[in-house]
Amino acid sequence: SLPSQRVVFCQLKEALAVDWSGEKAKAALKRTAPDYFLLQVLLKFRTDKGRDPSPQNYAEDSKLLLQIRRDVLEALGVGADLLPDEFVSYCFSEMAPVCAVVGGVLGQEVV
């Protein structure tokens, strides 16, 4: 039998609290996907507004997302160019109710 392996991941709270101002962090910045910073922006939006960006409020929410991006990236000490302006278009979606059914059937098939 194969020896068991264990992988330990840090908590989300720790991952979101990284100090990006140090030299070590600047090296890690090159290996960090922009999705990390997009998550920070979306979490801040949800904290401030109590909801996700809504397609019905596209114009208003787009402006707010751009403002939050500037504030969040500034607070983290990284350049705003990490998330280009077009990131806003990826933040709006609507889930069709059929997704739950398809996901349930797919999960059943996997198991």
Side-chain angles (χ1 to χ4, degrees):
S1 71
L2 295 173
S4 63
Q5 294 182 353
R6 185 173 177 198
V7 178
V8 180
F9 293 94
C10 70
Q11 294 181 349
L12 178 62
K13 184 170 64 173
E14 292 172 25
L16 294 176
V18 171
D19 177 16
W20 293 97
S21 59
E23 288 302 314
K24 214 173 180 183
K26 287 183 180 170
L29 188 60
K30 293 175 184 162
R31 298 187 313 270
T32 304
D35 303 353
Y36 171 85
F37 300 101
L38 177 58
L39 175 66
Q40 295 268 30
V41 171
L42 289 173
L43 285 173
K44 175 83 168 120
F45 184 97
R46 183 180 272 187
T47 301
D48 292 354
K49 297 294 265 182
R51 62 176 176 81
D52 291 327
S54 167
Q56 288 80 17
N57 300 325
Y58 185 84
E60 179 187 333
D61 287 356
S62 293
K63 287 179 191 169
L64 186 56
L65 282 165
L66 290 170
Q67 179 185 342
I68 290 173
R69 174 199 59 176
R70 188 188 68 237
D71 296 345
V72 165
L73 296 182
E74 222 172 69
L76 291 173
V78 296
D81 56 341
L82 279 174
L83 278 177
D85 288 356
E86 55 267 16
F87 91 93
V88 169
S89 63
Y90 305 127
C91 298
F92 295 88
S93 65
E94 289 186 85
M95 292 292 282
V98 74
C99 291
V101 175
V102 172
V105 171
L106 182 62
Q108 178 183 341
E109 292 300 315
V110 169
V111 172

